[in-house]
């Protein structure tokens, strides 16, 4: 019983970072941009938030957790937003190939994260881990009272605010996409940019905004991982392949934010399942870690067989749009 | 400037790279009139209209709407001026409903109340007499239903100047009549309508005035009442053109193809072709008529070896009278046993040609298997491409220019030219003149007749019954996947075929 509760709790904690990245990517893909730079932007958001918090905590005598948290949030949003901006300028304005640009952004973002993360460790005195405990404590603060409830408290109320913020954000995002005019316009841009354009939708603006917001959401996912999951420290390449899991989750959720919520918990659970199965050696662990991808492939096979149009990716995903293009 | 002018375009010029789309074009649209813009392919009709709709931006020239000079930078600007354009390729999002497509991009409250929107739309459809379900998804609709959505979309946006680009190209005669009725209703309500077309009979029956473009220049405009098919053609082409389609008597017809009991099932498991049977002879053109999607495509693809058959057989008789069964063969196997089947598909740039390659590359698609060396042989395809370009008057900057950037008529010439170059024994063409102007169409008819005289069996799927009746020797009529009969094109009537297109059991009901 206890083991199950711990497993659930860890699965959710694991899932949130993925969920941030996935929803960021859903918004981006709804505008027809396939941004494979999600892992990179998660690194960028994470390390920038950490740097902001670290510099703040080192420059004042008694760091206030709340201020540190704000600084970390702003840094993460700005930095991951910049990553998305690079991608947007290249793919939307200059119409570069989206796959290549996205992969380059991931490579860049990971290097960026590891470089500055490593530098921070050096600034902190060379050896070992850096720590931004005050800020992390703000991110990790649990809900009072509710979190002390047995079972329910542990499974549902034992997380920092980013978790709850994101559940709310996901619901809002879903409402936005399917119940508002702007959301309809955004979906149309991703399906058929020429049609949206002819209907008077500013395609370029929608693509830029969706990609920027998507990048920022991914950055928050990185920040969540650094601050809440690992408690304000940095390990080079500590992210593992969570960024790619986020992209797989987009497909798994069939581009619907609400599906991504439970999908993220499933992915999180599958990702850490190996820790809870006794007697696995290293190679078996890696196989277990690949389970989310297997599930994604199964979903792909099933949706391909069912051929339901609503379950397919946005039609012009990956294509640049140029109004006067003939042919 | 006349006071009743809705739109005046003055000195409009537009270039695409080195290609001139429009050069110093003038056009006037009056209030409450239906204006036809007539011209051959590549004469710049669509480009000119795209500049009104805000899709293209003119390089030079002025546009006046109701006497005021305007700058139209985007479709949004065009809407604001009450200009709405219905493109040849519909601008609709497939996975959205009709209502969602109609309100797309419109300002309003953040929250979207679909029920309210649908009520507004129903009010509008009742007013003009449209039939449309606002709830239906676009991908479930037929072509004419999609067109209705497009028109309603423009009206919902308050368009009082409506531009339609080749609206009848994909409609049945009955649907065309209904569309024209709606357009006349709209004229009655004071809307101005511009219709881009090259079908002369439509120009004459529908419009009040005709503006003619030739090679990007405006030739002038005349009242429809003063125009005849002949005079319009001369304005359009710049010289006298013989409008009659030649139809030589078949010489020594011999059985070439025998199709028996062919049934084809589509991906969803529906029978798209049921027990179809017919024969095709050398030296004749067999027309295939039917409402779009009645199994024409599947029939041709089945013969070409591109569609698996559920049942039935296809037999080919060669020159010596030997019969070969093609039933379970793929296109490649058919070629390997030495049968030259040529197929010009409906989807020219999807199935027929590679859009991003030049003419030479596209010629090679047909011939690369003949090469022996490791390196590809480009000289021959290149000279074939140059020959086609010369003989069929293909307008392109060069044989290496991507075919996807050519106009529809030129694309078709490249495709038909390539297929004919293999001197086929059976030539199958689907909608060979769709989107083509008179001149190009007649070039294609001439090419088909040449093949007929050379002793090929020509099978031609068409949509314009007048043309089928004038060009073909016999016409096979399909209705909902069934063969409803074969008629002699020399004495059949349009009405007779129209009836057969809708009732495949009519023949059985009244023997």
């Amino acid at each position: 019983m206890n083991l199950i509760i711990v497993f659930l709790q860890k699965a959710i904690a694991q899932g949130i970072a993925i969920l941030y990245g996935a929803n960021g990517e859903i918004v981006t893909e709804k505008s027809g941009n396939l941004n494979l730079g999600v892992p990179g932007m998660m690194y960028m958001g994470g390390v920038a938030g950490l740097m902001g918090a670290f510099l703040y905590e080192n420059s004042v005598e008694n760091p206030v957790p709340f201020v540190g948290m704000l600084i970390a949030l702003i840094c993460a949003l700005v930095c991951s937003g910049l990553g998305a901006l690079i991608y947007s300028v290249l793919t939307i304005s200059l119409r570069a190939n989206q796959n290549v640009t996205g992969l380059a952004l991931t490579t860049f973002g990971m290097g960026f994260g590891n470089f500055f993360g490593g530098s921070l460790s050096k600034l902190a005195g060379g050896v070992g881990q850096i720590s931004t405990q005050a800020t992390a404590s703000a991110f990790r603060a649990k809900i009072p009272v509710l979190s002390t409830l047995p079972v329910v408290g542990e499974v549902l109320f034992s997380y920092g605010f980013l978790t709850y913020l994101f559940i709310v954000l996901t619901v809002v995002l879903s409402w936005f996409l399917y119940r508002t005019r702007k959301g309809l316009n955004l979906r149309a841009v991703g399906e058929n940019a020429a049609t949206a354009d002819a209907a008077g939708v500013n395609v370029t603006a929608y693509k830029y905004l969706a990609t920027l917001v998507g990048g920022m959401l991914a950055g928050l996912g990185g920040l969540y991982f650094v601050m809440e999951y690992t408690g304000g420290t940095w390990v080079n390449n500590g992210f593992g392949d969570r960024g790619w899991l986020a992209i797989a989750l987009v497909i798994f959720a069939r581009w619907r934010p609400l599906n991504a919520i439970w999908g993220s918990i499933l992915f999180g659970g599958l990702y850490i399942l190996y820790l809870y199965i006794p007697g696995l050696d290293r190679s078996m662990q890696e196989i277990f870690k690949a389970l989310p991808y297997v599930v994604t492939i199964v979903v792909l096979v099933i949706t391909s067989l069912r051929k339901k149009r609503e379950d397919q990716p946005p039609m012009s995903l990956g294509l640049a749009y140029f109004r006067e293009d003939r042919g | 400037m006349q006071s009743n002018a809705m739109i005046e375009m003055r000195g409009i010029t537009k270039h695409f790279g080195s290609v001139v789309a429009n050069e110093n074009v003038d056009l006037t649209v009056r209030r409450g009139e239906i204006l036809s813009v007539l011209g051959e392919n590549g004469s710049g009709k669509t480009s000119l209209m795209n500049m009104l709709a805000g899709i293209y931006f003119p390089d030079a020239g002025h546009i006046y709407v109701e006497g005021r000079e305007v700058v139209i930078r985007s479709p949004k600007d065009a809407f604001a001026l009450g200009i709405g354009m219905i493109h040849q390729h519909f601008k609709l999002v497939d996975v959205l409903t009709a209502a969602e497509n109609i309100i797309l991009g419109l300002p309003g409250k953040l929250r979207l109340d679909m029920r309210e929107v649908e009520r507004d739309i129903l009010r509008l459809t009742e007013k003009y007499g449209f039939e449309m379900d606002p709830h239906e998804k676009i991908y479930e609709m037929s072509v004419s239903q999609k067109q209705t959505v497009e028109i309603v979309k423009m009206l919902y946006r308050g368009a009082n100047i409506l531009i339609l680009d080749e609206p009848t190209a994909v409609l049945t005669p009955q649907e065309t009549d209904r569309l024209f009725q709606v357009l006349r209703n709209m004229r009655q309500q004071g809307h101005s309508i511009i219709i881009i077309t090259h079908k002369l009979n439509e120009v004459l029956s529908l419009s009040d005035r005709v503006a003619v473009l030739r090679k990007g220049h405006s030739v002038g405009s005349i009242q429809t009442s003063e125009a005849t098919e002949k005079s319009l053609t001369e304005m359009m082409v710049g010289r006298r053109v013989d409008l009659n389609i030649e139809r030589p008597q078949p010489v020594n017809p011999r059985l070439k193809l025998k199709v028996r009991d062919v049934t084809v099932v589509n991906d969803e498991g529906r029978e798209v072709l049921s027990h179809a049977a017919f024969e095709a002879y050398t030296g004749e053109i067999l027309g295939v008529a039917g409402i779009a999607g009645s199994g024409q495509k599947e029939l041709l693809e089945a013969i070409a070896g591109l569609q698996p058959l559920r049942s039935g057989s296809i037999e080919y008789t060669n020159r010596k009278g030997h019969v070969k069964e093609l039933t379970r063969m793929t296109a490649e196997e058919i070629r390997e046993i030495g049968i030259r089947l040529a197929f010009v598909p409906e989807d020219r740039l999807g199935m027929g040609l590679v859009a991003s390659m030049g003419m030479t590359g596209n010629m090679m698609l047909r011939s690369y298997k003949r090469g022996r060396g490791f390196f590809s042989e480009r000289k021959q395809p290149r000279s074939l491409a140059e020959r086609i370009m010369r003989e069929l008057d293909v307008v392109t900057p060069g044989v290496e220019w991507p075919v996807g950037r050519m106009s529809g008529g030129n694309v078709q010439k490249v495709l038909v030219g390539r297929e004919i170059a293999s001197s086929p024994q059976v030539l199958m063409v689907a909608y060979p003149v769709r989107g083509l102007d008179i001149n190009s169409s007649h070039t294609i008819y001439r090419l088909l007749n040449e093949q007929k005289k050379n002793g090929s069996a020509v099978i031609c799927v068409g949509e314009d019954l007048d043309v089928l009746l004038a060009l073909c020797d016999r016409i096979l009529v399909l209705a909902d996947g069934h063969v409803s009969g074969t008629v002699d094109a020399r004495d059949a009537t349009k009405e007779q075929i129209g009836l057969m297109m809708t009732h495949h059991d009519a023949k059985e009901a009244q023997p």
Side-chain angles (χ1 to χ4, degrees):
Chain A
M1 185 63 196
N2 213 15
L3 191 68
I4 293 174
I5 291 169
V6 172
F7 176 67
L8 268 177
Q9 201 184 2
K10 295 283 180 223
I12 293 173
Q14 234 354 292
I16 292 300
I18 305 173
L19 180 61
Y20 266 96
N23 271 344
E25 184 66 6
I26 288 176
V27 178
T28 308
E29 292 196 9
K30 282 289 178 190
S31 77
N33 280 354
L34 178 66
N35 189 351
L36 295 178
V38 164
M41 292 184 300
M42 290 175 90
Y43 265 86
M44 289 170 79
V47 84
L50 187 68
M51 267 159 69
F54 177 77
L55 293 178
Y56 166 70
E57 287 193 18
N58 274 18
S59 61
V60 292
E61 197 82 351
N62 288 312
V64 185
F66 185 71
V67 177
M69 182 194 84
L70 276 186
I71 291 177
L73 274 178
I74 292 166
C75 290
L77 288 175
V78 168
C79 189
S80 54
L82 277 176
L85 185 64
I86 297 175
Y87 173 89
S88 303
V89 171
L90 282 170
T91 61
I92 304 169
S93 296
L94 303 176
R95 294 190 281 278
N97 181 298
Q98 295 188 4
N99 296 340
V100 175
T101 311
L103 288 173
L105 179 60
T106 284
T107 314
F108 169 75
M110 286 166 77
F112 181 91
N114 286 338
F115 172 74
F116 284 102
S119 306
L120 278 186
S121 306
K122 213 166 179 185
L123 281 178
V127 282
Q129 297 257 336
I130 65 147
S131 166
T132 54
Q133 277 196 338
T135 305
S137 70
F139 278 99
R140 296 183 117 176
K142 296 177 182 177
I143 300 175
V145 188
L146 282 179
S147 60
T148 56
L149 292 172
V151 187
V152 179
E154 278 176 73
V155 176
L156 294 180
F157 301 108
S158 63
Y159 315 99
F161 75 94
L162 274 179
T163 305
Y164 304 105
L165 172 71
F166 207 58
I167 303 290
V168 173
L169 275 179
T170 306
V171 174
V172 170
L173 178 64
S174 183
W175 177 80
F176 170 78
L177 280 176
Y178 294 100
R179 291 278 180 274
T180 68
R181 284 173 191 270
K182 297 253 185 298
L184 175 66
N185 293 351
L186 176 62
R187 282 187 289 147
V189 168
E191 286 292 334
N192 190 335
T195 295
D197 189 19
V201 177
N202 187 339
V203 172
T204 308
Y206 271 88
K207 276 183 175 260
Y208 262 95
L209 270 177
T211 310
L212 287 188
V213 169
M216 288 175 175
L217 287 178
L220 284 183
L223 185 68
Y224 165 88
F225 181 79
V226 167
M227 285 299 173
E228 184 168 336
Y229 192 77
T230 63
T233 60
W234 181 267
V235 186
N236 271 2
N237 292 324
F239 252 48
D241 46 6
R242 288 176 181 80
W244 299 115
L245 273 178
I247 293 176
L249 180 58
V250 174
I251 300 168
F252 179 83
R254 285 165 288 138
W255 292 266
R256 288 191 191 91
L258 292 182
N259 285 350
I261 294 182
W262 65 266
S264 70
I265 298 170
L266 177 69
F267 271 36
L270 290 172
Y271 194 60
I272 55 166
L273 189 60
Y274 71 95
L275 294 173
Y276 295 83
I277 295 180
L280 293 178
D281 56 18
R282 279 296 288 236
S283 54
M284 279 308 284
Q285 288 182 4
E286 292 303 322
I287 288 180
F288 270 81
K289 278 183 172 175
L291 277 178
Y293 299 106
V294 175
V295 174
T296 303
I297 291 172
V298 170
V299 168
L300 268 178
V301 169
I302 293 172
T303 52
S304 302
L305 284 178
R306 283 173 59 206
K307 285 202 178 103
K308 209 166 149 232
R309 289 295 297 270
E310 284 79 0
D311 288 345
Q312 301 305 316
M315 273 236 289
S316 60
L317 186 62
L319 306 175
Y321 177 63
F322 177 45
R323 187 186 285 163
E324 299 207 2
D325 201 2
R326 292 182 110 189
Chain B
M1 209 175 291
Q2 279 154 315
S3 60
N4 66 348
M6 279 305 277
I7 296 179
E8 295 231 26
M9 299 178 89
R10 290 277 165 264
I12 300 289
T13 298
K14 176 79 190 172
H15 295 233
F16 290 100
S18 59
V19 181
V20 179
N22 293 111
E23 185 81 56
N24 204 14
V25 174
D26 296 340
L27 185 86
T28 307
V29 187
R30 295 181 192 146
R31 193 182 304 275
E33 77 166 354
I34 299 181
L35 172 75
S36 292
V37 176
L38 188 66
E40 296 192 278
N41 291 324
S43 62
K45 298 166 292 190
T46 305
S47 310
L48 186 67
M49 289 302 119
N50 272 334
M51 284 185 266
L52 273 185
I55 303 288
Y56 299 156
F57 191 73
D59 296 341
H62 304 271
I63 300 174
Y64 304 86
V65 174
E66 300 188 70
R68 210 160 37 83
E69 175 154 16
V70 294
V71 177
I72 305 174
R73 292 192 178 280
S74 69
K76 215 171 175 166
D77 292 354
F79 287 138
L81 295 164
I83 302 172
M85 177 157 171
I86 291 155
H87 298 265
Q88 207 174 351
H89 304 286
F90 298 136
K91 306 244 176 195
L92 295 171
V93 179
D94 277 352
V95 294
L96 301 183
T97 65
E100 282 174 328
N101 268 288
I102 287 167
I103 58 134
L104 185 63
L106 288 179
K109 277 181 300 192
L110 178 66
R111 207 180 84 81
L112 187 56
D113 184 357
M114 282 317 289
R115 259 178 311 189
E116 194 185 309
V117 170
E118 281 166 14
R119 260 203 311 276
D120 289 351
I121 291 172
L122 283 176
R123 212 173 302 137
L124 202 63
T125 51
E126 274 164 29
K127 181 173 160 197
Y128 291 95
F130 294 106
E131 282 166 38
M132 192 188 85
D133 174 10
H135 233 70
E136 203 175 346
K137 296 249 163 112
I138 299 299
Y139 66 81
E140 296 167 337
M141 292 186 175
S142 72
V143 183
S144 81
Q145 283 174 305
K146 287 182 196 172
Q147 190 179 53
T148 307
V149 176
E150 281 277 32
I151 297 175
V152 176
K153 178 166 130 189
M154 294 307 156
L155 292 174
Y156 188 86
R157 280 148 203 260
N160 50 20
I161 304 159
L162 204 62
I163 308 168
L164 296 107
D165 190 357
E166 309 249 359
T168 60
V170 288
L171 301 183
T172 62
Q174 288 84 351
E175 286 168 339
T176 303
D177 286 344
R178 215 175 313 144
L179 172 69
F180 284 1
Q181 198 45 53
V182 168
L183 294 181
R184 288 189 190 105
N185 284 350
M186 286 165 55
R187 174 175 59 187
Q188 211 109 69
Q189 315 248 2
H191 295 281
S192 300
I193 293 159
I194 308 174
I195 166 169
I196 303 177
T197 184
H198 53 248
K199 292 187 185 166
L200 294 171
N201 55 345
E202 291 178 357
V203 172
L204 292 170
S205 73
L206 181 70
S207 60
D208 303 305
R209 230 154 41 83
V210 194
V212 183
L213 292 183
R214 185 167 70 223
K215 297 200 169 126
H217 296 261
S218 44
V219 181
S221 64
I222 53 169
Q223 294 293 326
T224 309
S225 50
E226 293 160 15
T228 62
E229 285 205 14
K230 225 172 158 54
S231 67
L232 288 176
T233 314
E234 279 174 31
M235 281 178 84
M236 194 160 81
V237 184
R239 58 186 158 79
R240 291 179 169 279
V241 173
D242 187 5
L243 279 181
N244 293 323
I245 302 171
E246 185 198 9
R247 174 162 55 189
Q249 279 292 335
V251 180
N252 183 23
R254 277 175 296 122
L255 181 66
K256 194 86 217 172
L257 268 185
K258 192 174 174 73
V259 171
R260 260 192 291 228
D261 195 36
V262 165
T263 298
V264 173
V265 176
N266 71 1
D267 292 341
E268 279 118 52
R270 203 170 61 82
E271 271 190 18
V272 277
L273 200 60
S274 323
H275 311 287
F278 70 93
E279 288 162 355
Y281 295 85
T282 61
E284 72 157 17
I285 298 182
L286 173 70
V288 179
I291 297 169
S294 298
Q296 298 96 319
K297 176 169 168 258
E298 287 76 13
L299 184 65
L300 295 196
E301 288 185 1
I303 298 170
L306 301 171
Q307 278 274 1
L309 307 185
R310 162 137 317 170
S311 71
S313 69
I314 298 163
E315 283 167 7
Y316 172 89
T317 313
N318 69 10
R319 271 174 224 274
K320 291 175 192 136
H322 299 306
V323 175
K324 282 178 182 159
E325 174 138 2
L326 309 182
T327 312
R328 304 249 172 260
M329 287 191 179
T330 63
E332 200 174 333
E333 288 163 350
I334 294 173
R335 190 160 54 219
E336 272 165 14
I337 60 168
I339 295 175
R340 292 193 300 276
L341 279 182
F343 178 32
V344 176
E346 176 182 356
D347 182 9
R348 295 163 199 169
L349 288 176
M351 272 179 81
L353 299 169
V354 179
S356 58
M357 296 201 315
M359 282 177 72
T360 308
N362 274 296
M363 296 304 137
M364 286 178 69
L365 292 181
R366 257 301 203 177
S367 63
Y368 73 98
K369 286 232 162 114
R370 261 181 269 144
R372 295 193 204 291
F374 175 75
F375 295 102
S376 58
E377 219 268 287
R378 288 184 70 84
K379 229 190 249 144
Q380 253 179 21
R382 197 184 158 92
S383 68
L384 173 62
E386 279 164 354
R387 208 182 79 209
I388 290 175
M389 187 172 150
R390 213 171 37 241
E391 287 178 8
L392 303 186
D393 278 328
V394 179
V395 181
T396 167
V399 287
E400 303 302 336
W401 184 257
V403 292
R405 301 241 187 124
M406 297 181 186
S407 72
N410 288 313
V411 169
Q412 184 70 326
K413 286 182 192 170
V414 172
L415 182 53
V416 173
R418 182 187 76 190
E419 292 304 312
I420 286 175
S422 67
S423 51
Q425 290 138 342
V426 178
L427 173 62
M428 295 184 287
V429 290
Y431 306 108
V433 298
R434 176 177 284 177
L436 268 59
D437 56 64
I438 297 202
N439 236 351
S440 307
S441 299
H442 277 77
T443 308
I444 301 290
Y445 302 146
R446 187 171 52 75
L447 291 171
L448 295 182
N449 269 324
E450 260 171 35
Q451 292 305 307
K452 169 179 168 180
K453 280 186 240 170
N454 289 345
S456 303
V458 180
I459 302 174
C460 173
V461 175
E463 51 203 341
D464 188 336
L465 293 181
D466 291 316
V467 168
L468 285 181
L469 283 168
L471 175 73
C472 304
D473 299 294
R474 290 183 305 135
I475 298 174
L476 174 85
V477 187
L478 286 175
D480 198 21
H482 298 259
V483 174
S484 53
T486 309
V487 295
D488 187 336
R490 284 181 176 77
D491 54 42
T493 65
K494 213 167 136 183
E495 289 66 34
Q496 182 191 354
I497 295 177
L499 203 65
M500 288 167 78
M501 278 162 65
T502 44
H503 302 286
H504 61 81
D505 49 5
K507 205 179 57 171
E508 291 139 41
Q510 25 175 275

